[in-house]
Amino acid sequence: MPVTATGARPTTPTLDEVAVLAGVSRATVSRVVNDSPRVSPEARRAVEEAVATLRYVPNRAARSLVTRRTDTIALVLSESNTQVFSDPFFASIVRGLSERLADTDLNLVLLAARGESEQEKIGRYVRQGHVDGVILMSLHSDDLLPDILAGAHVPVVLSGRPLDGRPVAYVDADNAGGAAAATRHLLSLGRRRIATITGPLDMVAGLDRLAGYRAALADAAPPGVPELVAEGDFTEAGGLRAMTRLLAEAPDLDAVFVASDPMAVGALQALRAAGRRVPEDVAVVGFDDAAVAATCDPPLTTVAQPLGEMTSLMVELLLDQIEAGERAVGTRVCGTTLVRRASA
């Protein structure tokens, strides 16, 4: 940077100096900097040349006061930090959102809150205007966040349909359809004592995947066949515990649909410890197509969600609301695909 005759560094160029050099008003410079369409091509060109000459850098704080925008969106996960950083599904979502926002001016902040006090803290953060919108994931039935964010009047998109059916924008996978396809695949292999390890039944993904399993069995099983159901928690340890319980209660089971891949890895450990061969004795199908599905022993047949498509749609629905300046209800449900590997 050049120095003045006294040897001092010059001050940072101002909006007024850009206006003088460009031969336009200060308001015109502001409109160009804030990418307003209400500027002639000639004026825009003059301002851009002046900005380049002076090396002017817009003051983002001042811009926020004018536009009331922070260029920041929050991904809020209703889980503990331990769960967020250990579950590969969340890592995939964060990676997908970051890639989707890479070519925009938007920043992404990650907030995890499972307890009531943490959720209220996030509510205060949002109401204070720190973010332009929120993508909300991993909701449980007792969560306060939907009501808190509704009261903050901030654009919101849910990952997963709302449990209570409230009118809100969301993007979801066809969880019930994917679970039904997984169960039908096990039936097509000739398996007849098919168990399931569910996700948490206070979450829509857990409920929908259980519903899909039940629907597929109802279409194929003779009346009176008991369900073999153990509730899990979407963790590897939870899958191990649930599989151990199922083997104790139904030692003759010959297949299991597991509602997440981490739980399926735990189920494989329990089956190995019990001396059961996979898939010869017990066939196993998971859900999510996480990276671990292809590398575990044996590689896991699973249900893939189109996470790239889903994250892109969540951003699209949120940006539509931010640009419109109001909350809107847009919904998308994405199809799932059965990925066949060695476990079933």
Side-chain angles (χ1 to χ4, degrees):
M1 181 180 288
V3 296
T4 64
T6 63
R9 291 184 181 276
T11 58
T12 302
T14 67
L15 205 67
D16 290 320
E17 290 172 326
V18 174
V20 169
L21 183 59
V24 299
S25 70
R26 190 178 191 279
T28 297
V29 175
S30 179
R31 282 195 287 271
V32 171
V33 168
N34 290 304
D35 203 26
S36 168
R38 296 185 295 115
V39 183
S40 70
E42 296 80 10
R44 185 178 297 278
R45 223 172 8 254
V47 171
E48 290 172 346
E49 289 174 0
V51 165
T53 299
L54 294 174
R55 298 180 183 178
Y56 171 74
V57 178
N59 184 322
R60 292 181 66 85
R63 178 176 179 271
S64 293
L65 290 174
V66 174
T67 63
R68 298 188 181 277
R69 293 269 295 274
T70 66
D71 290 337
T72 300
I73 64 174
L75 173 61
V76 178
L77 300 167
S78 183
E79 296 290 353
S80 67
N81 283 328
T82 300
Q83 179 76 356
V84 168
F85 292 110
S86 64
D87 192 321
F89 176 76
F90 295 131
S92 297
I93 291 292
V94 172
R95 184 167 55 250
L97 289 175
S98 298
E99 291 172 355
R100 173 63 176 79
L101 297 174
D103 294 329
T104 75
D105 291 330
L106 292 170
N107 300 300
L108 179 69
V109 297
L110 175 63
L111 304 171
R114 185 67 188 100
E116 181 176 338
S117 63
E118 292 176 323
Q119 294 188 5
E120 290 175 345
K121 184 192 298 183
I122 285 178
R124 289 193 296 272
Y125 180 81
V126 171
R127 284 194 297 272
Q128 289 165 1
H130 294 294
V131 299
D132 296 327
V134 172
I135 293 173
L136 182 55
M137 286 189 65
S138 197
L139 281 176
H140 299 256
S141 60
D142 61 349
D143 276 321
L144 304 175
L145 281 168
D147 289 334
I148 289 172
L149 295 175
H153 304 292
V154 65
V156 174
V157 174
L158 302 189
S159 174
R161 65 178 177 84
L163 274 164
D164 58 5
R166 70 176 62 211
V168 62
Y170 70 83
V171 176
D172 202 2
D174 181 10
N175 289 296
T183 307
R184 285 195 298 269
H185 172 64
L186 292 169
L187 288 163
S188 74
L189 299 177
R191 309 300 169 123
R192 290 298 178 264
R193 291 282 283 164
I194 302 173
T196 187
I197 298 174
T198 76
L201 297 181
D202 64 345
M203 299 180 69
V204 70
L207 291 169
D208 284 356
R209 293 173 195 180
L210 175 59
Y213 159 83
R214 283 174 166 164
L217 280 190
D219 289 341
V225 173
E227 291 182 345
L228 304 175
V229 177
E231 184 174 353
D233 59 4
F234 285 152
T235 70
E236 184 176 318
L240 190 155
R241 288 192 299 270
M243 191 72 246
T244 301
R245 186 163 62 251
L246 283 170
L247 288 171
E249 295 173 356
D252 60 338
L253 66 84
D254 58 7
V256 59
F257 163 60
V258 189
S260 81
D261 290 343
M263 288 198 302
V265 171
L268 290 174
Q269 294 171 5
L271 289 166
R272 189 177 302 114
R276 305 299 177 88
R277 298 169 301 162
V278 176
E280 293 85 355
D281 300 325
V282 180
V284 179
V285 178
F287 203 109
D288 287 335
D289 197 25
V292 69
T295 59
C296 62
D297 182 23
L300 187 65
T301 295
T302 186
V303 178
Q305 302 185 66
L307 292 185
E309 178 186 358
M310 292 169 68
T311 53
S312 184
L313 286 171
M314 285 188 280
V315 173
E316 178 186 317
L317 290 176
L318 190 64
L319 293 183
D320 287 347
Q321 294 183 59
I322 292 171
E323 293 301 326
E326 61 183 17
R327 288 169 64 113
V329 178
T331 64
R332 305 285 191 278
V333 178
C334 300
T336 56
T337 306
L338 184 71
V339 180
R340 296 187 61 174
R341 297 192 180 97
S343 68

